[in-house]
Amino acid sequence: MSSIRPEAQAIIDRLKAVDQEKPYTLDAARIERAFADHLKALAQPCRPVQFIGGLGAARDAVWSASWDAARGAAWDAARGAAWGEAMGAAWSVARGAGIANSLYDHPKYQGFRAMWMPFVDAFEAGLFVYWITQAKVIAVPRPLFRFRGEQLHGDGMPAVAYPNGERNYFWRGVRIPEEWGGVHSEHWRPEWLLAAKNAEHRRVLIQGLGYHRIMAALPNTLIHSQDGMELREITQIVDVEPIRLLKVVCPSTGFAHVLRVPTGVDTCEEARRTTFPWPDVEIMKET
Amino acid sequence: MKGYRQGDVFLKKIEAIPKEATKKPNTILARGEATGHVHEVIGDAELYERDGTLYLRVRSSVELRHQEHGTIALSRGAYEVGIQREYTPKGWNRVVD
């Protein structure tokens, strides 16, 4: 049976003690010291830390920095550096904890420790993600997070808010469009169901508004129902042909989902089969 | 023909994986855009791709896992991966979540 060593547990406890729902706290000097220590342990030259208050803006800055450094190289290499090599401070702390827990008797333990332990300080000081480019470190302060249980969630407000005004909206762990996320769920509009392209967004709308409330608001006819499924046709003209919707319930989550099906199908099971990539395959197990 | 379904991901047993298919670096069959959740095969298996279609080679019994959906055990063999689809007047689209 594995156990957590005291030093690793101490790191985990410091990580857990950071309140991510508190307004921004940034100790820039402490973060700069942490990067200096990290680079020294890697035998790399120290470089300035540029703080950028949003993830999108930081990616743009990393792209520019990488492009400057890689001038003449492939454009994709610079773009890849901006989008692929971000390091999460929490991940770096976790790496430190992992080293403390499992490599404590390794001959190079002190060296590994010197590389990764500075990130415990940096995380506490408000570091969220960072990139180390040739000329500088680009660091993004921790945004304000809102959770519901363990899931990112904000009802009518952003679940992730960066100091520079960048916002991300989540509903119970699902990222949703800003047009929805900025509106309290009591004021969500049933007709959004017909326009949403993403099936998970539709599921969230159903969860937030209630399937029956949506159907009560959209003029429709019930064509067929079977085993919790419903096949309905929206009678309001909003497309080049009538919209026929199948409601199904996921056997694993119990969540209701809605999919558009062809107008030619008249039973729920027939409609369900049309959504399978291979309608004739016998499904042995479904979860 | 027999198959399995986990959410919007489907698998059907096939005789063999096309020879021209190229191996992928992981065994993630699909990733949710809005949730970040993944349908991932855990165990001795390899994922291949040809012309946008994924194929799975299972060398011994493996598990198809997802953060919300129940786990599905898969036996040794070759599989084609399919994604649930949705009707539009212009044609069928893969379900995006």
Side-chain angles (χ1 to χ4, degrees):
Chain A
M1 190 171 147
S2 64
S3 60
I4 297 176
R5 291 177 51 78
E7 190 180 5
Q9 187 61 54
I11 296 170
I12 294 166
D13 290 344
R14 285 175 66 183
L15 193 68
K16 281 166 70 178
V18 173
D19 186 351
Q20 301 191 68
E21 294 184 80
K22 266 195 171 173
Y24 315 113
T25 49
L26 181 72
D27 184 341
R30 199 173 164 204
I31 292 171
E32 284 166 351
R33 276 198 304 276
F35 277 113
D37 291 344
H38 173 68
L39 291 165
K40 185 179 172 190
L42 287 169
Q44 291 289 313
C46 195
R47 58 206 80 183
V49 179
Q50 181 185 2
F51 290 92
I52 297 183
L55 199 54
R59 281 181 171 139
D60 290 344
V62 175
W63 188 90
S64 298
S66 305
W67 180 237
D68 287 344
R71 199 174 294 281
W75 184 87
D76 275 351
R79 190 180 58 171
W83 289 91
E85 302 300 329
M87 295 285 278
W91 187 88
S92 299
V93 173
R95 177 176 271 199
I99 287 168
N101 202 48
S102 56
L103 295 178
Y104 58 90
D105 55 356
H106 192 283
K108 293 184 178 172
Y109 173 66
Q110 289 304 330
F112 294 147
R113 191 179 182 286
M115 283 176 209
W116 295 105
M117 285 303 287
F119 287 106
V120 183
D121 274 346
F123 185 79
E124 285 180 334
L127 179 67
F128 180 44
V129 295
Y130 63 93
W131 290 259
I132 297 178
T133 72
Q134 213 165 38
K136 59 188 171 185
V137 175
I138 292 173
V140 180
R142 186 163 45 248
L144 175 69
F145 292 105
R146 289 190 180 89
F147 293 95
R148 181 181 184 269
E150 303 223 325
Q151 295 177 315
L152 284 169
H153 177 79
D155 197 347
M157 60 184 77
V160 184
Y162 291 91
N164 73 345
E166 286 180 34
R167 304 277 187 264
N168 299 141
Y169 295 85
F170 285 79
W171 173 267
R172 298 181 188 178
V174 179
R175 188 162 177 182
I176 57 175
E178 184 171 352
E179 308 87 88
W180 299 16
V183 178
H184 194 280
S185 59
E186 281 181 10
H187 303 294
W188 284 0
R189 301 174 68 89
E191 59 268 28
W192 289 349
L193 185 79
L194 304 178
K197 300 271 187 261
N198 186 296
E200 201 65 19
H201 291 167
R202 273 176 265 161
R203 196 270 296 163
V204 162
L205 192 69
I206 292 168
Q207 198 179 0
L209 270 182
Y211 176 74
H212 293 292
R213 193 171 147 200
I214 292 173
M215 287 305 148
L218 297 174
N220 71 88
T221 306
L222 178 64
I223 310 261
H224 185 242
S225 62
Q226 176 190 350
D227 302 330
M229 294 188 283
E230 282 186 8
L231 182 61
R232 290 179 182 268
E233 185 162 296
I234 306 298
T235 49
Q236 187 183 5
I237 304 297
V238 290
D239 201 354
V240 294
E241 63 181 62
I243 295 177
R244 202 163 275 206
L245 297 176
L246 176 70
K247 183 202 94 175
V248 292
V249 178
C250 171
S252 293
T253 63
F255 292 142
H257 293 260
V258 165
L259 290 168
R260 187 170 181 179
V261 296
T263 49
V265 294
D266 293 319
T267 69
C268 292
E269 183 55 26
E270 187 188 1
R272 192 175 85 99
R273 284 267 160 192
T274 66
T275 70
F276 291 8
W278 315 290
D280 297 331
V281 169
E282 182 190 356
I283 301 298
M284 306 298 292
K285 185 171 182 182
E286 199 169 343
T287 67
Chain B
M1 191 73 74
K2 293 183 176 176
Y4 300 89
R5 176 185 181 186
Q6 186 184 61
D8 53 358
V9 170
F10 290 68
L11 289 157
K12 74 171 175 181
K13 271 213 157 185
I14 55 176
E15 290 297 317
I17 292 172
K19 282 180 184 160
E20 301 82 2
T22 54
K23 192 175 170 187
K24 303 275 285 181
N26 56 48
T27 51
I28 294 174
L29 308 188
R31 185 188 299 273
E33 280 181 12
T35 59
H37 292 166
V38 293
H39 298 266
E40 184 172 19
V41 174
I42 305 295
D44 191 2
E46 292 156 358
L47 190 63
Y48 295 83
E49 189 258 335
R50 186 196 172 199
D51 297 334
T53 301
L54 293 175
Y55 300 90
L56 183 71
R57 174 169 292 128
V58 175
R59 297 199 178 276
S60 62
S61 292
V62 300
E63 287 186 343
L64 174 58
R65 292 188 197 163
H66 184 269
Q67 286 84 348
E68 288 188 329
H69 296 284
T71 297
I72 292 177
L74 298 171
S75 58
R76 182 186 169 93
Y79 298 82
E80 182 178 334
V81 181
I83 303 295
Q84 190 170 28
R85 58 186 197 159
E86 181 169 37
Y87 175 78
T88 75
K90 290 179 181 170
W92 292 92
N93 288 339
R94 282 182 173 191
V95 166
V96 176
D97 64 0

